[in-house]
Amino acid sequence: MSTTPIPYKIYLDENEMPTAWYNLRADMKNKPAPLLNPQTLQPMTAQELEPVFCRELIDQELDDTNAFIPIPEEIRDFYKMYRPAPLIRAYCLEKKLGTPAKIYYKFEGNNTSGSHKLNSAIAQAYYAKKQGLTGVTTETGAGQWGTALSMACSYFDLDCNVYMVKCSYEQKPFRREVMRTYGATVTASPSMDTQVGRKILAAHPGTTGSLGCAISEAVEAASCKPGYRYVLGSVLNQVMLHQSVIGLETKAALDKYNVKADIIIGCAGGGSNLGGLIAPFMGQKLRGEADYRIIAVEPASCPSFTRGTYAYDYCDTGMVCPLSKMYTLGSGFIPAANHAGGLRYHGMNATLSQLYADGLMEAVSVKQTEVFEAAEYFARIEGILPAPESSHAIKVALDEAIRCKETGEEKTIVFGLTGTGYFDMYAYEKFHDGKMEDYAPTDEEIAKGLSGLPTV
Amino acid sequence: MSTTPIPYKIYLDENEMPTAWYNLRADMKNKPAPLLNPQTLQPMTAQELEPVFCRELIDQELDDTNAFIPIPEEIRDFYKMYRPAPLIRAYCLEKKLGTPAKIYYKFEGNNTSGSHKLNSAIAQAYYAKKQGLTGVTTETGAGQWGTALSMACSYFDLDCNVYMVKCSYEQKPFRREVMRTYGATVTASPSMDTQVGRKILAAHPGTTGSLGCAISEAVEAASCKPGYRYVLGSVLNQVMLHQSVIGLETKAALDKYNVKADIIIGCAGGGSNLGGLIAPFMGQKLRGEADYRIIAVEPASCPSFTRGTYAYDYCDTGMVCPLSKMYTLGSGFIPAANHAGGLRYHGMNATLSQLYADGLMEAVSVKQTEVFEAAEYFARIEGILPAPESSHAIKVALDEAIRCKETGEEKTIVFGLTGTGYFDMYAYEKFHDGKMEDYAPTDEEIAKGLSGLPTV
C-alpha cells in the first residue's frame, strides 16, 4: 500500500499480476441456471459438450464451486506481453468536468487486437493446443474477437477459421486483413460452406448476416472437421472467468493506492467485459465484505437487460447451440443494422443474468448518438479514441460524474474502457457527417422477438 | 538499479520520467550547419524565421549550446497521459530465433496517434498556445503526424489545419476521420487553397501530391493567416530535441536494470525518431563515455543516407523553406508512389547528417518486401502489428540477431518501434496478395535528383 500520489496510470509490476482467475459463481448463493441440451431440454453434460468444445474449457464452463482457477504459466507468459493493462486516473476529465468525483478507467485497448478479447482468446487457444487439436472455428461481429483469436492461434500454431458477419466483412476490410496477418482464414457469413449458411441464404437472399448466424456456422464447421473445436468470445461463463483478470488487476491497482470504488460501470453485449471487470468486486458484495453500485450499460437498440425477459433461450439463430437461461430479446431478434458498435447480441451471460435477477446490479440503456458524443468528448480530453462499445460505459460514467458535481459527492467511479476505436472510423465518420441515427425497437418488435422463446 | 529479473516490459515510474529534453548538438564538436535563407543564402536569423515558426521553437531550433532544455510542466502532464512508453524485452523473439542476442524495443505506438509523433506535437502546440496564437498549419504524409498534431491542438484548444498528401487522403480515409474527431481541418494536397498548390496543380494536373508539396502549402497558409504559424513533425532540430524523450526513457529503463546496449537501430525518414532514440547514447559516444554501434535504416526507394549527397538543399518541393545542409536526393526527387510507408522524404535532419558525415553512425537501406516479411514475422511472435516505417528497424534488428546466432555473440540490441500498423492494412493487404513491388531508383534517377541541388 503506497502513500505516494496516485499517478496518471497505475501499472502493476509483473509479480503483482494475478496468478489465478476468479470464478464468481463459487460465491453465488443462487447459481446461474445450467445450459440445456436443445434436443432433450436436460442439463448439458460434459460429454455432450465435447464434440463442440475443448475438454478443459468445458470443465471451466460447468464449474460453479472452485473460486480460483490457476492461470497456466504459458498463458501468464503471454499475458506479460501485453498486460498488465493500465488503470488510468482520468485527471484531465475530472478537471474539465469540474466534478469532485474521482474517475478511473481500466484500459484494455493497448494490444494489437485492440480490446480485452485477447484475455480469453489466449486461454482458449492454449487449452485447444494442450488437447492436441489442429484448429478452432469461431465467429466475429465487429472483429475484435476474431482478431484476438487469430493472434492467440498464431502464438500456439493452431489453425483458425473465422466466420465474420458479412456486413462487417465488407465494411471493415482492415480488420479482416489483421486476421490474415496472423494467418487466419476469414469467411463472410452467411456462407455457402455450411449447411446452416446455405439454409439462411436460401431463406434470406442478400442478407448481410448477424452474430447469431455466424455462431451457427462456426459451430457446424467445428463439428464437421476432425481435430477442430468451436470457441466463443463472450456469453459463456468460461469467457467471463478468463476476463476476471481485468477486475483482479483493477482491484489490485486500487488496493495498492488504498482507493475504494463506489460505482463500477461496464458496457454489456454478451457480458464478458462487464463480468470480468466486476468479478472481484461482486465477489466482495456477495460475501458481504463491501458494497458497490454496479452498472451494466447496453445500447437502446439491443436492450437485453432493460427490456428483455429472464428465460431459457437459444444462444444462436440457427438453434444448434445449448439453451441458456438469460436476459434475452429472443434468438430471432435482429438488432438494427445501423448500430455502429458490437453489443448487438440478443442474450446475455447466464451468471450476470442471475446477478441482475437477484438485484445485485443495475442496468441502463443509452442511445447511439449520445454514446458517440461521449466518445468524442472523451477522446479530446483523455487522448484515447474509444471503441463505440466502450463508449457506452463512458457515457454513463460521465453522467455519474456530472451528478456528483451537482450533489457535491466525492464518489470514486471506475469504468471499463474495453478497446480502441481505430477500426470504427466508418461509424465516427457517419457521426461527424450527421448521418447517425438513433434506434430503439418498438414494443411490438420486442414482443415479436420474445414470442419465439422456446417452451422449457 | 535493480537485480530482479528483467520483466517483459519495463515501465518507468512517473517520477523517473525525464524532466528535460537532451539537446545532442551541445555535445557535438562539429555542429550541424546552419539553416540558410533561400533568398540571401545567409544563415537564417531568429527574426527571419518568426513569420513562419513559433518564437520559442525558433530558439530551440537555433540552440546548439544548451545540453538540457527543461520540459514545461504542462507538457510533462500531457506526457503522463500516454508515457512512459514501455521498453519491451523481446523474449519471444529471442527464443524463436534461437539467438544469444538480447533484444529490446522501445514501443511508441500505444497512444491514439499510433506513433512517437505526439512527443513533439504536444510541445509545438504548447509553445504556439503560450505565444497566444490562434492555430497552426502543417502537412502530413502517412498521417501519423497530422493525427498527433490534431490531438495536441485539441488539448490546448488551438485550430489545426492539416494539408494531407492526396494519395494518403484517398487511401486512408480513417486517418482523416481520426483527425476530424480531434477537430482538425484536413485538406487534400495539392489544393486550390494556396498559390503554390494551384501552381503545382497547373503544372501536374491529376498529381496525387507529395510531402514536399504539402509542406509548401502549409508554410504558405501559415504565412498568410494572422495568428497562425507552421509546425513540422520531423527533419527540424527542435523536433529531434523533443523526441529525445524516447532515448532518455530508453536509457533510464536500461540503466534501471543495469543493461548496456551494444547496437541501437532506428528507421530514418526525416530523422526525428532515430535522432530521439539515439540522442543520449550518441551523447555518451561524443563525450567518450561509452561506445555503441548506431544504425539508421532507410527504404531502398528513398535512400538519402546511402545514396544521397551531403549538401545544402531545399526542405520542400516549392522551395519556400530555408535551405538545410543534409544528406539529400534533391528536393525534386519523388520517391516511388508504390512505397507503402512513410520515410519518403528526400532529405534528412541536419544533426544526424553531420553525425553520419563524421562517421559516428552507420546507415543501411532495405527493400519493401523484406520489410513486410519482417513485419509479419514480428507481429506473429511479439503480438504487436508494426507500422511499415518501424518495420525497417525490425528487419535490421532481426539481421543483427541472426548474425549473433552465427557468431555466438551475446550482443544487446535495442531498436525503436515507432508505431502501429493499424492504418496501414491496405499495404499489408497488397503484401498478402503478392502485389507488393520492390523499387530502388536507378543511378540515372539519383543523378537527376541531385542535378537540381542549389549552388551555395
Side-chain angles (χ1 to χ4, degrees), chain A residues 33-76:
Chain A
L35 295 171
L36 298 188
N37 183 314
Q39 266 93 50
T40 65
L41 299 184
Q42 293 302 305
M44 290 291 281
T45 62
Q47 207 181 353
E48 288 171 330
L49 288 164
E50 276 213 12
V52 175
F53 293 109
C54 302
R55 268 193 304 272
E56 287 197 55
L57 291 167
I58 296 170
D59 293 343
Q60 294 179 359
E61 189 64 32
L62 301 180
D63 184 347
D64 58 12
T65 52
N66 292 299
F68 289 96
I69 316 272
I71 307 175
E73 196 184 342
E74 291 88 337
I75 299 175
R76 282 194 283 139

Side-chain angles (χ1 to χ4, degrees), chain A residues 143-170:
Chain A
Q144 294 179 337
W145 167 247
T147 311
L149 190 68
S150 304
M151 290 176 66
C153 285
S154 168
Y155 186 75
F156 284 124
D157 201 19
L158 278 169
D159 190 30
C160 179
N161 300 343
V162 181
Y163 288 86
M164 187 171 186
V165 177
K166 194 180 272 175
C167 68
S168 294
Y169 184 90
E170 285 162 0

Side-chain angles (χ1 to χ4, degrees), chain A residues 51-220:
Chain A
V52 175
F53 293 109
C54 302
R55 268 193 304 272
E56 287 197 55
L57 291 167
I58 296 170
D59 293 343
Q60 294 179 359
E61 189 64 32
L62 301 180
D63 184 347
D64 58 12
T65 52
N66 292 299
F68 289 96
I69 316 272
I71 307 175
E73 196 184 342
E74 291 88 337
I75 299 175
R76 282 194 283 139
D77 280 348
F78 188 87
Y79 279 171
K80 286 177 195 163
M81 289 171 71
Y82 72 99
R83 304 195 69 80
L87 181 70
I88 304 181
R89 173 74 183 268
Y91 281 119
C92 295
L93 191 60
E94 292 170 15
K95 195 173 156 194
K96 188 82 170 185
L97 290 170
T99 178
K102 315 269 181 284
I103 309 173
Y104 294 81
Y105 54 97
K106 180 72 170 173
F107 183 43
E108 291 285 330
N110 269 352
N111 69 72
T112 286
S113 78
S115 83
H116 67 294
K117 296 282 183 181
L118 197 51
N119 302 331
S120 184
I122 193 63
Q124 297 194 46
Y126 166 79
Y127 291 113
K129 187 71 182 178
K130 195 176 164 199
Q131 194 175 327
L133 297 174
T134 309
V136 292
T137 69
T138 198
E139 76 295 327
T140 199
Q144 294 179 337
W145 167 247
T147 311
L149 190 68
S150 304
M151 290 176 66
C153 285
S154 168
Y155 186 75
F156 284 124
D157 201 19
L158 278 169
D159 190 30
C160 179
N161 300 343
V162 181
Y163 288 86
M164 187 171 186
V165 177
K166 194 180 272 175
C167 68
S168 294
Y169 184 90
E170 285 162 0
Q171 275 182 17
K172 298 187 171 187
F174 295 163
R175 268 280 180 206
R176 194 177 71 208
E177 217 47 49
V178 177
M179 291 185 245
R180 281 180 79 196
T181 302
Y182 286 93
T185 312
V186 188
T187 308
S189 166
S191 76
M192 295 299 282
D193 292 5
T194 64
Q195 235 176 354
V196 65
R198 290 189 292 272
K199 204 169 131 191
I200 292 167
L201 280 171
H204 309 277
T207 176
T208 54
S210 75
L211 206 52
C213 301
I215 294 176
S216 302
E217 286 207 86
V219 170
E220 183 186 319

Side-chain angles (χ1 to χ4, degrees), chain B residues 226-302:
Chain B
Y228 282 72
R229 291 294 184 283
Y230 168 69
V231 297
L232 180 63
S234 190
V235 185
L236 296 176
N237 287 323
Q238 60 188 262
V239 180
M240 224 182 84
L241 173 72
H242 307 145
Q243 294 296 357
S244 69
V245 70
I246 303 173
L248 292 166
E249 279 187 11
T250 302
K251 189 161 181 308
L254 290 172
D255 288 351
K256 194 170 174 176
Y257 287 89
N258 203 20
V259 174
K260 160 78 174 62
D262 295 303
I263 308 175
I264 299 160
I265 302 167
C267 62
S272 73
N273 144 69
L274 178 72
L277 174 66
I278 69 172
F281 303 99
M282 184 61 89
Q284 288 184 297
K285 198 165 165 168
L286 289 166
R287 296 188 303 270
E289 296 165 9
D291 197 19
Y292 304 98
R293 271 187 73 201
I294 293 175
I295 308 176
V297 189
E298 56 185 17
S301 63
C302 196

Side-chain angles (χ1 to χ4, degrees), chain A residues 15 31 48 75 179 202 221 230 250 256 378 411 432:
Chain A
N15 56 19
K31 305 289 185 190
E48 288 171 330
I75 299 175
M179 291 185 245
Y230 168 70
T250 301
K256 194 169 172 175
F378 180 85
K411 297 223 165 135
H432 294 144

